Amino acid sequence: MVAGTLLAFGIDFLMYGVFMADSMKEMEKFYASVMYPEGQRPSEAWFIVYELCRMLIIGMVVLQRPMKGLSSFVWGFAVSSLLTICMDFWWMMFFNDPNMSVGHVAMEAVMGGVIMGLCAWLMSMVYSKLST
Amino acid sequence: MSLKATSISVVGASVVSWGLAGLWHMVIIADMEHEAWAKFSAVLRPEDAMPSPFWWMIPLMVFYWAVSYFVSRGPGGVSAATGMRTAVIVAFVVNFMAEFSMHMFFNDMSMGMSAMSLGFELVSAAVGGSVLGLLYSKLNT
């Protein structure tokens, strides 16, 4: 769980903090009136808690059986994509965000799915090494 | 794992939770929610442009399908008690995650509203999970 959480945190930090920094800034403009002003936001380190929650859900599927190799990746991918689609569905129902589109949701679901698939794979490997 | 038992129990649990959500959001705390979300009016859809509450059934069905997957593979078999326990655990993790990330970014989120919302989701999941487990165990014979 710890290994998966750290990997997810590292990849998300790179993805949203570096590679997608410009498009995130664009998105923030829409929410500027309700967001914390820059400099007053909680530390990004708090996202460890969010990642741990995701690992708990993935872990319930992957470690309960337990799975190995590609099947853990596939289930990590599937569960994460489903979770992303549900959350984005809720977001689109209530928020008037012009950046949210079916294409954006699909991209998030695939990217999040690949990251969680890798984390599930790592978790299953660490679990099988330590449980023997 | 019977497809018929899974489908009926997932739909049954979703309908019950959907009804509870309607009672909670549209009757019991409607005024409080209205007040809490007024600060977000600049980014929310206008009230008359909100989609029909019927759409809420989709994420609920996905949630109860996931719960039925976990409970049918977990220890202790499928019953009202194991359905309730699993649904409450999954609902807690998912809703805590959602509220947590909203508080990370939004300035005007109310801690009290989040606590009440989390509490309601746990009650709803407990009732829905029990219905799911009960229906599944009766139909999967």
Side-chain angles (χ1 to χ4, degrees):
Chain A
M1 221 55 106
V2 172
T5 302
L6 292 177
L7 178 66
F9 182 75
I11 299 176
D12 272 352
F13 184 77
L14 266 182
M15 199 170 83
Y16 292 108
V18 181
F19 298 123
M20 289 175 63
D22 291 342
S23 60
M24 294 308 288
K25 283 262 174 287
E26 200 58 43
M27 221 168 175
E28 281 175 19
K29 278 184 197 160
F30 177 71
Y31 296 103
S33 62
V34 287
M35 279 181 89
Y36 287 109
E38 204 137 6
Q40 286 180 31
R41 285 181 204 163
S43 157
E44 265 123 17
W46 281 103
F47 262 111
I48 285 272
V49 178
Y50 178 86
E51 303 292 8
L52 184 63
C53 290
R54 289 212 287 183
M55 289 311 133
L56 283 170
I57 295 283
I58 307 286
M60 277 180 87
V61 181
V62 177
L63 302 182
Q64 204 172 48
R65 292 187 106 174
M67 291 179 184
K68 278 184 180 174
L70 193 60
S71 62
S72 58
F73 177 87
V74 170
W75 276 100
F77 181 95
V79 173
S80 170
S81 302
L82 213 58
L83 204 63
T84 305
I85 290 168
C86 277
M87 287 210 172
D88 282 355
F89 185 90
W90 176 86
W91 203 266
M92 285 170 90
M93 269 186 80
F94 298 107
F95 287 90
N96 206 8
D97 187 349
N99 302 293
M100 291 296 270
S101 62
V102 175
H104 180 89
V105 175
M107 184 196 71
E108 271 198 347
V110 171
M111 275 175 25
V114 170
I115 295 168
M116 287 301 114
L118 288 173
C119 293
W121 199 332
L122 177 73
M123 273 203 291
S124 70
M125 273 198 305
V126 174
Y127 185 84
S128 66
K129 293 269 180 228
L130 295 177
S131 62
T132 47
Chain B
M1 194 176 171
S2 149
L3 183 65
K4 183 183 157 202
T6 305
S7 311
I8 294 175
S9 58
V10 166
V11 172
S14 304
V15 169
V16 171
S17 276
W18 187 75
L20 285 174
L23 189 67
W24 174 253
H25 293 292
M26 295 167 103
V27 180
I28 300 173
I29 61 155
D31 293 340
M32 279 175 77
E33 266 193 347
H34 226 262
E35 206 177 307
W37 285 103
K39 298 159 190 160
F40 290 83
S41 58
V43 293
L44 287 172
R45 286 184 193 279
E47 208 143 328
D48 51 359
M50 290 270 182
S52 154
F54 184 74
W55 286 100
W56 193 243
M57 277 293 283
I58 293 175
L60 279 175
M61 284 198 286
V62 173
F63 172 78
Y64 281 111
W65 172 82
V67 171
S68 85
Y69 177 86
F70 296 140
V71 79
S72 60
R73 281 157 183 81
V78 183
S79 65
T82 56
M84 180 175 81
R85 188 182 63 200
T86 310
V88 167
I89 293 170
V90 179
F92 177 77
V93 177
V94 171
N95 285 288
F96 176 79
M97 197 163 97
E99 295 291 340
F100 186 87
S101 56
M102 296 285 277
H103 278 272
M104 283 276 296
F105 294 107
F106 294 129
N107 203 2
D108 288 321
M109 288 292 292
S110 150
M111 200 62 94
M113 281 299 288
S114 289
M116 279 170 67
S117 170
L118 192 57
F120 164 73
E121 294 298 343
L122 296 186
V123 172
S124 168
V127 176
S130 307
V131 170
L132 178 103
L134 194 68
L135 286 176
Y136 188 92
S137 59
K138 296 270 179 229
L139 295 168
N140 190 37
T141 48

